[in-house]
Amino acid sequence: MRVKCENRRQAILDVAEELFRDKGFELTSMSEITARVGGSKATLYSYFTSKEELFLEVMHRFAEADIKRIFSEFDPTVDISKTLQEFGEKFLTFISAPKIIAAQRVLFAESGRTDIGKRFFDRGPCDGSAKLAAYFEQCIVLGKLRSADTLVAATHLIALLKAEIMDPLLFGAREMTELPAISEAVSRAADIFLRAYGVGTSPGSAETLP
């Protein structure tokens, strides 16, 4: 019975994902999801108490396996440049995938009308930043980074990684083939980050960068 229930839950998520992607959050109804999945609306609500909850579960299912793994592979004993490059390439490859870009567009569109954006941010990006900050704290103890607010540092790194790639994709202004190679974009982001936060640097030192 447990397997059957989980299969049903995944079938609901599959249908909801397709509808949210094709029609957006507002135009997708629980009635339409029920009609495609089969069964009753009461059964659907026994799995997900609201459309908002269902949408959040769709979003988190995208990230459940890959993004959690990406944010769990930090080893402070390994060369930090190598770690940032490997992390950055995996992270940017994941968030720039067409499926994830489409999901982010729906999320942004609905964030001004409901609390979906806040709920997703608290459960997703905030959690990832906290894990990255914890890694930076270990690096500071080992003398690989200067003392700094590690959560701010994590926010800066994520922003640098996204800088060359994400806006053009989210706005549909460029295709991935028209953008810099991910490895090159990550290398530049990591270099800027380490110039700002690396040992021997100080706040404001980035102003002297060539």
Side-chain angles (χ1 to χ4, degrees), residues 82-104:
K82 181 175 184 291
T83 297
L84 293 183
Q85 185 69 32
E86 291 180 352
F87 162 74
E89 289 185 21
K90 291 174 183 177
F91 172 72
L92 198 49
T93 297
F94 175 79
I95 64 170
S96 64
K99 185 176 183 179
I100 304 302
I101 291 293
Q104 289 181 82

Side-chain angles (χ1 to χ4, degrees), residues 188-208:
R188 286 188 285 270
D191 179 63
I192 293 170
F193 178 83
L194 290 175
R195 292 195 190 203
Y197 287 98
V199 174
T201 64
S202 60
S205 63
E207 295 176 4
T208 64

Side-chain angles (χ1 to χ4, degrees), residues 4-22:
K4 185 176 181 180
C5 288
E6 181 57 26
N7 288 342
R8 180 74 170 177
R9 184 176 185 275
Q10 292 303 318
I12 293 170
L13 288 170
D14 287 341
V15 170
E17 176 187 330
E18 181 181 353
L19 287 171
F20 286 140
R21 183 179 63 245
D22 294 344

Side-chain angles (χ1 to χ4, degrees), residues 7-207:
N7 288 342
R8 180 74 170 177
R9 184 176 185 275
Q10 292 303 318
I12 293 170
L13 288 170
D14 287 341
V15 170
E17 176 187 330
E18 181 181 353
L19 287 171
F20 286 140
R21 183 179 63 245
D22 294 344
K23 302 182 66 174
F25 177 83
E26 187 175 7
L27 295 179
T28 296
S29 69
M30 296 293 265
S31 295
E32 185 173 4
I33 293 170
T34 300
R36 291 207 187 183
V37 174
S40 67
K41 192 181 289 188
T43 299
L44 176 59
Y45 278 106
S46 72
Y47 285 92
F48 302 98
T49 59
S50 66
K51 188 169 68 167
E52 288 79 8
E53 181 186 346
L54 178 53
F55 179 75
L56 285 171
E57 285 303 315
V58 168
M59 291 294 296
H60 286 295
R61 189 174 68 157
F62 288 152
E64 189 66 25
D66 291 335
I67 205 70
K68 281 191 174 181
R69 175 178 51 79
I70 291 169
F71 277 91
S72 301
E73 295 180 338
F74 299 121
D75 183 348
T77 66
V78 174
D79 177 73
I80 190 170
S81 296
K82 181 175 184 291
T83 297
L84 293 183
Q85 185 69 32
E86 291 180 352
F87 162 74
E89 289 185 21
K90 291 174 183 177
F91 172 72
L92 198 49
T93 297
F94 175 79
I95 64 170
S96 64
K99 185 176 183 179
I100 304 302
I101 291 293
Q104 289 181 82
R105 287 172 180 156
V106 175
L107 180 65
F108 293 150
E110 299 308 319
S111 293
R113 290 192 285 267
T114 72
D115 68 345
I116 283 178
K118 181 182 183 304
R119 291 168 65 186
F120 176 79
F121 183 78
D122 290 342
R123 185 175 165 186
C126 273
D127 183 61
S129 293
K131 288 182 171 63
L132 188 54
Y135 164 66
F136 289 156
E137 288 172 7
Q138 294 175 304
C139 289
I140 289 171
V141 170
L142 293 174
K144 296 185 175 186
L145 292 176
R146 66 172 177 82
S147 181
D149 184 322
T150 54
L151 196 54
V152 171
T155 301
H156 286 167
L157 178 62
I158 295 298
L160 286 167
L161 290 171
K162 293 179 176 180
E164 296 184 51
I165 303 291
M166 292 307 294
D167 277 357
L169 292 179
L170 287 169
F171 285 107
R174 299 286 186 276
E175 296 294 330
M176 197 67 194
T177 53
E178 301 175 86
L179 296 171
I182 283 179
S183 61
E184 295 174 1
V186 169
S187 179
R188 286 188 285 270
D191 179 63
I192 293 170
F193 178 83
L194 290 175
R195 292 195 190 203
Y197 287 98
V199 174
T201 64
S202 60
S205 63
E207 295 176 4

